[in-house]
Amino acid sequence: MLQLLILFLVPLVWSQKHTPYGSKTPYHLVAGNVLDFDFPCKPVSLFSVHRHGTRNIGKNIVKRIDTLVGALQSTYKTKGLPNDNLKWLLDFSHGNKPNKDLIVEGYRQLSGQGERFSQVFPDLLSDTSHVRVGTSFKGRCISSALSFLHGAYGKSFRVSNESEILKTKDIRRDCEGMCHVYEPVVEMKSERDRKSDRPHITFEHQQNHLLRYYKECRNYVTKEGNKAAWQAAPNKYLTGSRMTRLTKKMGERLGIQLSPHDVVTLHILCALEVGVPRLMSNSQFCSLFEENELYVTAFYLDLMRYNGKMIPEAVNSSCVLMQDGLNFLKQDQGANLKFAHTETIFPLLEHMGHLTEPMSAKRSLLEREFYGDITPLGSNFFMVAMECPDSSERIVQTFLNEKPIEFPNCGSPCKLDKILEMFPEEGCDFVGVCEGRGFDLYSCLTVEMAALSIMVVVVIEFIRRCFC
């Protein structure tokens, strides 16, 4: 009932193609349902990449929320409310924790996907000797993988990489008690375990080289660390005409002087109100925004994400994940399931050609290609290889958030051989992309500054010698 009430309080944005909630968009607002798709041929192999489900928001955002809400409540208690419509703010509180662990909503998102996948791909998941699961080392990704498997298999599964991989206390911490159904896993080598009728699934929980490939890429890490460079455009937008007008309007509505960052925090509060209403007691932050105003702040958040996460080295280094998937689709039967981050999926989509338009401050608020809700919480991208009775060739159907999409420059479905031609294994030069010295603007500026520093030292030494 509370969720229905929240939806009525949200500004009229549902007619738009994308939501304004960016990367905090709950899965159900944008997802399809793979059960609705009629496969033309028999699925024989599945490669999927899932983003972790809804999680706690982390200490930095919690601090921003507490600071802003505290200032509003203090002002209203001292000076009174500017209007009675803001009474709810005096009693507002939230239950968001300063960590990034999976929460109940995230568990449900992933377990729901697991249940649907098990119905659509029973032949691919039933023989667990042909199922492999990989996650990044982050607890929220491990918990998301286990949630998916719980949806697919119920309680009758165990995971193993031939060694201890998870302890009960870790799972319970990550899932806030929701993962108590999973047993601790230790040395799956006993005769009793081998004879057990419960499936043992290959589970690798530190596939960072595949799922956090960008962090393994030195050139990406260097550029992403130069925040002054890639945050310049978002910061300029933040002080531009769109945000200035909205900041002034919102300040007048709340009867307090706000900064553009305060308005962005209000946007985040609205997104949380929609995504996790049970943690947002007495929340009506979405009602503060008028129609389409949320897209003004969403643009800033999306621009930040694009500039910081879609650096060319991230896009190009995603080829290692692409090749892992293609090798599985062409050689194996069964399922290769990955659980990672939005930063894992976005560059992969651009590498494949699903995203082609650069995001810039000049883009329209509503008519643009890049939106944060392309990878909502619990999002997924997967490819299904099929075999048809009248052909020896495998064909591939791609999906984004359980919606069928065309493979760029190939159609739907696409011959696997053509995809392999478009993305040859030898074309994935991770070392060259990530370790090589390029001649991009960043590198040139770095070299120029180094040369300038040397010149200054030489001049100072020359002057010292001449006058000493």
Side-chain angles (χ1 to χ4, degrees), residues 4 13 48 55 66 139 146 156 161 168 202 222 226 241 246 268 284 288 350 358 367 407-409 454 456:
L4 292 175
V13 298
S48 66
R55 59 168 173 81
D66 291 343
L146 293 172
S156 61
N161 67 348
T168 304
T202 299
T222 299
N226 184 19
S241 58
L246 180 57
I268 293 172
Q284 297 180 31
L288 298 176
E350 182 166 321
E367 299 299 325
F407 200 101
N409 302 312
I454 293 172
V456 169

Side-chain angles (χ1 to χ4, degrees), residues 62-113:
V62 168
K63 183 177 180 180
R64 286 173 57 179
I65 288 173
D66 291 343
T67 299
L68 177 58
V69 171
L72 289 169
Q73 291 177 338
S74 177
T75 299
Y76 296 158
K77 289 176 181 178
T78 303
K79 300 181 179 180
L81 291 164
N83 62 74
D84 290 340
N85 293 330
L86 297 175
K87 282 184 178 179
W88 60 270
L89 250 170
L90 293 174
D91 299 319
F92 168 76
S93 63
H94 71 88
N96 295 282
K97 296 182 179 179
N99 59 54
K100 296 185 178 181
D101 295 339
L102 197 74
I103 59 176
V104 174
E105 288 76 8
Y107 165 82
R108 290 171 180 163
Q109 289 159 354
L110 272 298
S111 63
Q113 289 176 32

Side-chain angles (χ1 to χ4, degrees), residues 191-206:
E191 186 67 22
R192 177 183 175 185
D193 283 322
R194 284 195 292 270
K195 291 182 177 180
S196 172
D197 59 357
R198 291 182 296 172
H200 292 177
I201 299 168
T202 299
F203 192 105
E204 298 181 44
H205 69 296
Q206 291 200 30

Side-chain angles (χ1 to χ4, degrees), residues 345-362:
I345 299 176
F346 262 132
L348 180 64
L349 292 176
E350 182 166 321
H351 175 66
M352 297 177 65
H354 287 290
L355 297 171
T356 59
E357 296 179 2
M359 177 75 172
S360 72
K362 295 181 180 179

Side-chain angles (χ1 to χ4, degrees), residues 27 48-55 102-117 140-152 182 338-340 376-380 402:
Y27 184 69
S48 66
V49 185
H50 304 254
R51 183 190 178 191
H52 60 78
T54 299
R55 59 168 173 81
L102 197 74
I103 59 176
V104 174
E105 288 76 8
Y107 165 82
R108 290 171 180 163
Q109 289 159 354
L110 272 298
S111 63
Q113 289 176 32
E115 184 177 351
R116 292 190 293 276
F117 274 49
R140 56 188 177 274
C141 298
I142 297 171
S143 296
S144 293
L146 293 172
S147 299
F148 181 97
L149 295 176
H150 184 227
Y182 308 113
K338 308 293 189 186
F339 298 84
L377 290 156
S379 64
N380 51 75
E402 299 185 56

Side-chain angles (χ1 to χ4, degrees), residues 310-323:
M310 301 293 276
I311 292 170
E313 283 76 6
V315 174
N316 295 330
S317 63
S318 70
C319 67
V320 295
L321 180 57
M322 179 69 171
Q323 290 303 319

Side-chain angles (χ1 to χ4, degrees), residues 20-36:
Y21 310 118
S23 63
K24 291 180 175 54
T25 299
Y27 184 69
H28 69 275
L29 290 186
V30 297
N33 189 327
V34 69
L35 291 170
D36 296 333

